[in-house]
Amino acid sequence: MRQLSRPFRLDRSRVSYRWAKLLLTVASALTLRATGDDSAPRFPRTLDSRLVVELVASEPDIVTPFGITVDAQGRVLVVESHTHMRPPDYEGPPSDRIRLLTDSDGDGRPDQVTTWYEGERWLMNITAHPNGWIYAVSRNELFRLRDADGDGRAEQRQSLARLQTEADYPHNGFLSVAVDGQGNLLFGLGQNYGAPYRLEDNGGVVLSSDRGDGGVFRCRPDGTGLVRVAVGFWNPCGIAADPFGRIFAVDNDPGNRPPCRLLEIVAGGDYGYRRHELEPFIAWNGELPGTLPMIASTPEAPTDLLRCGPSQLLPELTGGFLVSSWSEYRVDVFHLSPSDASFRAKSRPLLQGGPEFRPTGLAWGTDGSLYISDWVDRSYPVHGRGRIWRVRLRDDGAQRNPAARPVATNHGEPGPEVSNWEHRVATGPLDQLDVASILAPTTPPRVCAACLRRLDDRRWLPQLVEAVQSADPYIRHAAREGLAHTANRNDLRQLFRDTRASVRLAAILVIRKHHERQFEEIVEEALS
């Protein structure tokens, strides 16, 4: 029988919840601008009292911004989208634009917004190059822009690489672009809705795929020398390179296999995703032979990746990476530590907003401050809203609030000696390397992997065969890349019949990747 009455009892959990809810409401109200206008944007909160968050631009001056960069003059350039899923009744400009934010009064804060370039469809991202060009990707093209006459508008445009495909979803073609330590370009291609594509650079190099496997590519600043660095991505929305030539990316959306991921990108790497493959043949964290795992999971919908240098924002961020999360309204800092031949990472939030903080792009100012582009609304179609935020140090030099959660430091990152050694092994002439000593057991695994990946002499076959049996997936991958350069078809057939399962597996993975016709010939034998 239902109880009609009962003695009053204080439910402390409910009281605590109500007080917490009240405090959160008050805190949210305090983040409104000083005008007291309830329609004013709510500022994202920094978790470090040494930092200040400023709003430097908003609608109607800037709307639906995506990629953002800062040039050598300290000017902020932002992609402003007007064509991404454009509604029929949308009243904005007919094409996408790049908006220029400048400091007109010399107070160190951008306050003037003008149009630097316009005329593109599905423009996604930009980056400033030391050579003075601004490099950009739209869904189907990599190109560069320059304001040669200094009038504040770009009048030079050069196409560098073109994607030919029937797919037309706005944000799973070219998504990201960055500059590596040698001045080359890195750019990311999404899974292209699984449609075949043909990619051609300015030097006549043509790369293609019909598997919907995404990709990270590299080319020279003039659009020649195109190479496919790695495959197996859904949407690599952010790419960054460190001073030692290592490449990292965030992959946005795992389909039905969460979470999203932070990746170290190595030459020849396969990160597991295929738009057209059946479920058992998709790997998201190195589950299948031949695929590589993530460094760490990220918050949902990561949109950009930015490496922290020693002069940027806070010294304890040095060597870490900032990741913006569109779906979880935040910016996190990820700190790396070595894990065999790759890394692992731990993260902490650096900036937290509410449902109207949708960070899409990250860029460092010339003064070390952080600029963030903000889509604002959860709507994918363009909607006429947008903001640009700046995070900087307080002018009064305030110390961190002891009650604030501290930001982790990068104490586990490889030291400069190991990193420089790895870089020399990865890029220097092989004939000048003491390969035998590099492959010794005492060598740091990252340096060993960099060497294995480049071997091209059959005399090193025994060392490569030993390495494909490693427990470390990055060492196994590096050894397979070395086998692809050194072993001939007869070597691979012999390895395929080895008594050790790990050696047989390595041989068939190399044959599948590099000798497609031979792979077809041995499938039946492999299955038996």
Side-chain angles (χ1 to χ4, degrees), residues 506-526:
I508 199 168
L509 289 172
V510 172
I511 293 169
R512 183 182 69 175
K513 183 175 180 179
H514 298 280
H515 304 282
E516 187 172 346
R517 182 172 299 177
Q518 186 180 8
F519 177 69
E520 293 175 357
E521 295 172 359
I522 66 169
V523 165
E524 185 174 351
E525 183 180 353

Side-chain angles (χ1 to χ4, degrees), residues 340-401:
D340 295 327
S342 185
F343 294 100
R344 61 180 179 273
K346 293 184 178 181
S347 67
R348 290 185 182 272
L350 181 70
L351 205 67
Q352 178 69 62
E356 288 195 346
F357 178 57
R358 302 280 178 167
T360 49
L362 306 168
W364 291 119
T366 52
D367 62 353
S369 59
L370 173 67
Y371 287 93
I372 305 170
S373 54
D374 180 0
W375 191 265
V376 178
D377 197 278
R378 65 175 297 182
S379 170
Y380 274 15
V382 290
H383 45 68
R385 305 180 69 192
R387 293 165 194 159
I388 305 298
W389 303 95
R390 180 191 184 205
V391 183
R392 62 169 178 84
L393 284 172
R394 286 187 183 277
D395 295 329
D396 59 7
Q399 296 298 309
R400 181 191 299 123
N401 183 345

Side-chain angles (χ1 to χ4, degrees), residues 11 13 18 22-23 32 50 55 67-68 126 128 130 200 232-233 276 281 288 306 314 328 334 355 391 396 411 446 450:
D11 187 335
S13 64
R18 287 169 181 164
L22 176 60
L23 289 172
L32 295 177
R50 292 175 296 176
L55 181 66
I68 186 170
I126 53 175
E200 182 175 2
F233 308 96
H276 273 167
F281 301 104
L288 294 181
L306 186 65
L314 295 171
E328 297 188 26
F334 283 76
V391 183
D396 59 7
H411 297 307
R446 294 193 57 84

